[in-house]
Amino acid sequence: MSTGNPPTPPSAPPISVTASANLSVAVRVLCQFTAKRGDLDLRFTPAPSAREGIAGHIVVANRRGRDYQTEVTLEGTHDGLQVRGRADGYDSKTRRVDECKTYRGDLARMPDNHRALHWAQAKMYGAMLCRKHELRELRVALVYFDVDTEHETVVAEDYSAEELQAFFAENCARYATWGRAELEHRQARDRALLALSFPYDFYPAQRQLAETVYRVAALGEHLLAQAPTGVGKTLGTLFPMLKAMGAQKIDRIFYLTAKTTGRQLALDALKALTPPDLKLRVLEITAREKVCKYPDSACHGDSCPLAKKFYDRLPGARSAALYRGIMTQKVIGSVATEHGVCPYFLSQELARWSDVIIGDYNYYFDQSAFLYGLAQEQGWRVGVLVDEAHNLIERARRMYSAAIDAETLRRARKESPPLLRSAIQRLSTQFQRIADAQQAAYEIYDVPPKSLLKALDTYISQQSALADQAVLFPEHVQKLFFDALAFNGLAEEFAEHSLFDIAHPEHATFTIRNVVPGPFLKLRFAHTACVVLFSATLSPREFYLDLLGLPDTTRWLDVESPFSADQLDVQLVRHISTRYQHRDDSIAPMVELIVQQFERLPGNYLVFASSFDYLARIAEELDRVAPHIPNRLQVRNMSETERKQFLDGFAPDGRSLALAVLGGAFGEGIDLPGERMIGAFIATLGLPQLNDVSEQMRLRMDQLFDAGYAYTYLYPGLQKVIQAAGRVIRTRNDRGIVYLIDDRFGRREVRKLLPKWWKLKTRAV
């Protein structure tokens, strides 16, 4: 197979890159670059939600007279730089332009650099209004609207047109130097990407994947791609996305992963795909708690030294980081230390100027997702790659679920400042009244009680008024507030996609539990140029379309496996049942099977079971009957170091058994090629635990899709089985064996969900 690029679809030929006559920028983007000065300061938080902000702007506009215009489209130019934007309001009679900002808390505590940014935006709009209407002077006003009290505070200044034009020119000149360098970078990047060739031989299956990804990126479509282990999914999706960027079909690439290991695979792939002289800007973004140097300090200059003069030091740090090209967590940490800035917020700023961003799912799909918000603000056409996308359903369910528990309430009430104590007490009283009325340990309700939501509203309003002091509150007071905000927000969106339940075994927990994340994710897909979700396990297609809210036009690709059936010996062990009620009887024959296989062909094997308790009992029996076979056991809450030690046991010349929970840290996303792992025993169908919550989810799935058992138990369980089996053969030269241990693996509805290329053999008793 020759090297080269996937052919360009005839319907979407590449677009040549030509220099634009004008560099274009939005007012908001320009001012964020030029107007921020001084300290990083997050004390004036949390900000109102987008919905509250829109509602506040409407209230302000409705209070104005008939001469008041809203969302006034404006543009202006300076030395080849085109500036565009929309002023919140303009009163032609009084000749006043308004920049409206919603807030909560004490306005007097708003940091100076926030106000400076607001003034910069307002004055830029003022300059463009003066030019448009040939005005000689203009009143420029900041209108601050308190979303809780609906009180307006107006701060206004009169400016001559000359003053505003001078301000406009100064800020344009400050941005233009950087902006032109950015334009040159993008044009050089696009030319290089158009010429980029694939550095390896394309496997047929990998070429099929790459061509399809390019096609959907070029046409602005979405794709579900089921591609087995060994296809080379990371390279096969990133390369065509880079080519689509070079053809100016997309502006940015976001590569989203469920686990840290996925981020490293993407970084390695990009290093392999792009020559050093390309200078592609690749950014790895990491959670704040993993990179924070002063975890006990608040995010403002009076508390954290890395927040002090952050915006003054940012230009140097930004230039140094971008020059490095591939900006891993380690690189960002080094640059941040050199320039004395916060590494987490440096990475947030670098996201504005990066070509490819690698991060966790939550950065794009969560309720307040940073990357999604940034893409919408900047107007980017984004190509999103979702790695191991079978994980997205469960992750998204957690993103759109929220809970309030009695213990947090109790601790918050005890630790709260006097100003909040009565509001927390009222909420706690209402919470306890509802909990005490429930007779069963677990119960589901049609909707969250109105009395609870009213108490939540009162509490949130009172604590919101103190939002700028929130960082000074004790831990459990802060936790209660953010739990309450999340719960209240989801209560406003409550519908059949979610359940409201109360678990009350001892201390009550009220939960809004998402079942179908699709209604929340639908807008994410609608507002994204192209999303490619890929995994070895995305069958059946309807399961993902229904639960993720993908449009019906989403394309489907089932890539052929690069492996042949004779590489993987798949044995069905039907005489052993791993059902909960049969586990006592299953352990001895299972251990006998494991020992026989190990002694016949010594090497490294993984044994997967459904729970830590089951694993421990299997290990105990192994120690009893086969003490000569080394074994090691996955335990709960292993640290990264402990997980690494567990995996280091898979040495190429090793001879040992490793026992792990199916669906856990070692069930997917680990790469053990060759002799590092030669077989797996999968002693479960991986079905979610049968309990009250699972049963309620099954009933809701039945109601919505007429597929309760399959959507709740069967499909998620077999996903884990196929992922675990995929650890055994990783390359074209690998050979291995998989034992599927349970009589249910022989059922027709189960077998048809297993990979087509497997040749199943039933093991005799």
Side-chain angles (χ1 to χ4, degrees), residues 255-266 358-362 385-388 391 395:
Y255 190 99
L256 308 177
T257 71
K259 298 179 180 177
T260 306
T261 50
R263 294 209 306 266
Q264 189 57 52
L265 287 172
I358 301 169
D360 189 87
Y361 291 168
N362 66 287
L385 296 172
V386 184
D387 182 30
E388 300 292 0
N391 289 302
R395 284 289 303 276

Side-chain angles (χ1 to χ4, degrees), residues 460-488:
I460 289 170
S461 294
Q462 291 201 23
Q463 184 152 339
S464 294
L466 305 171
D468 50 316
Q469 304 173 43
V471 293
L472 305 175
F473 294 156
E475 176 186 352
H476 285 88
V477 177
Q478 292 189 50
K479 181 179 185 306
L480 175 62
F481 184 49
F482 288 108
D483 287 351
L485 282 173
F487 191 98
N488 206 44

Side-chain angles (χ1 to χ4, degrees), residues 13-14 36 61 97 159 243 354 361 405 433 441 459 463 487 494 563 592 608 612 632 682 688 692 721 726 763:
K36 286 188 173 181
V97 62
Y159 292 95
K243 298 294 288 184
S354 298
Y361 291 168
D405 65 272
R433 183 190 67 77
Y459 158 65
Q463 184 152 339
F487 191 98
F494 190 79
F563 303 129
E592 181 183 0
F608 291 102
F612 289 103
R632 60 192 182 281
I682 303 175
D692 289 332
V721 170
R763 184 177 177 83

Side-chain angles (χ1 to χ4, degrees), residues 84-98:
R84 64 190 188 282
R86 287 200 302 260
D88 290 329
Y90 173 59
D91 190 321
S92 58
K93 187 174 183 179
T94 61
R95 292 188 179 180
R96 192 181 90 177
V97 62
D98 288 349

Side-chain angles (χ1 to χ4, degrees), residues 229 563 567-568 601-606 650-655 670-680 726-737:
T229 298
F563 303 129
Q567 286 183 260
L568 186 65
L601 185 62
N604 294 321
Y605 294 85
L606 254 171
F650 292 95
D653 57 350
R655 304 287 186 271
I670 61 170
D671 195 21
L672 302 169
E675 298 298 311
R676 291 192 66 191
M677 180 179 169
I678 63 171
R727 303 312 99 200
V728 177
I729 56 172
R730 308 294 294 174
T731 73
R732 305 201 166 209
N733 299 318
D734 287 356
R735 293 230 182 300
I737 188 167

Side-chain angles (χ1 to χ4, degrees), residues 471-713:
V471 293
L472 305 175
F473 294 156
E475 176 186 352
H476 285 88
V477 177
Q478 292 189 50
K479 181 179 185 306
L480 175 62
F481 184 49
F482 288 108
D483 287 351
L485 282 173
F487 191 98
N488 206 44
L490 290 173
E492 291 179 0
E493 304 283 345
F494 190 79
E496 61 184 4
H497 51 63
S498 299
L499 303 170
F500 172 66
D501 60 44
I502 299 177
H504 197 0
E506 184 177 354
H507 301 297
T509 301
F510 291 15
T511 306
I512 293 178
R513 192 182 308 277
N514 181 247
V515 179
V516 183
F520 294 107
L521 300 184
K522 202 169 187 177
L523 280 178
R524 295 289 194 274
F525 296 122
H527 293 162
T528 306
C530 171
V531 181
V532 175
L533 303 102
F534 59 97
S535 168
T537 48
L538 287 179
S539 288
R541 173 177 179 263
E542 292 73 22
F543 177 61
Y544 293 92
L545 290 176
D546 286 344
L547 295 193
L548 291 177
L550 286 157
D552 293 337
T553 55
T554 299
R555 294 199 182 206
W556 166 254
L557 176 66
D558 193 357
V559 181
E560 289 288 331
S561 174
F563 303 129
S564 60
D566 62 356
Q567 286 183 260
L568 186 65
D569 184 8
V570 184
Q571 298 279 336
L572 296 184
V573 183
R574 301 175 65 176
H575 67 280
I576 299 174
S577 167
T578 63
R579 294 173 180 83
Y580 184 79
Q581 63 267 33
H582 300 150
R583 285 186 186 169
D584 289 345
D585 297 330
S586 71
I587 291 173
M590 191 190 308
V591 168
E592 181 183 0
L593 177 72
I594 293 169
V595 172
Q596 286 176 357
Q597 173 63 31
F598 186 90
E599 292 182 341
R600 182 166 55 251
L601 185 62
N604 294 321
Y605 294 85
L606 254 171
V607 180
F608 291 102
S610 55
S611 69
F612 289 103
D613 176 65
Y614 201 10
L615 281 180
R617 294 175 67 188
I618 295 169
E620 185 180 342
E621 180 69 3
L622 277 167
D623 289 339
R624 189 183 70 79
V625 303
H628 60 288
I629 300 178
N631 68 73
R632 60 192 182 281
L633 191 65
Q634 179 188 1
V635 296
R636 288 183 174 86
N637 303 318
M638 292 174 80
S639 66
E640 286 192 24
T641 301
E642 290 170 329
R643 289 199 296 270
K644 184 178 183 301
Q645 290 171 348
F646 187 91
L647 291 174
D648 286 345
F650 292 95
D653 57 350
R655 304 287 186 271
S656 67
L657 298 170
L659 286 74
V661 171
L662 189 71
F666 307 109
E668 62 178 85
I670 61 170
D671 195 21
L672 302 169
E675 298 298 311
R676 291 192 66 191
M677 180 179 169
I678 63 171
F681 303 86
I682 303 175
T684 172
L685 264 71
L687 306 183
Q689 187 179 2
L690 184 65
N691 55 34
D692 289 332
V693 173
S694 296
E695 278 299 281
Q696 288 297 331
M697 293 183 74
R698 179 186 65 80
L699 291 171
R700 184 57 55 88
M701 295 291 201
D702 252 341
Q703 176 189 334
L704 295 174
F705 308 113
D706 196 25
Y709 175 75
Y711 276 27
T712 306
Y713 296 105

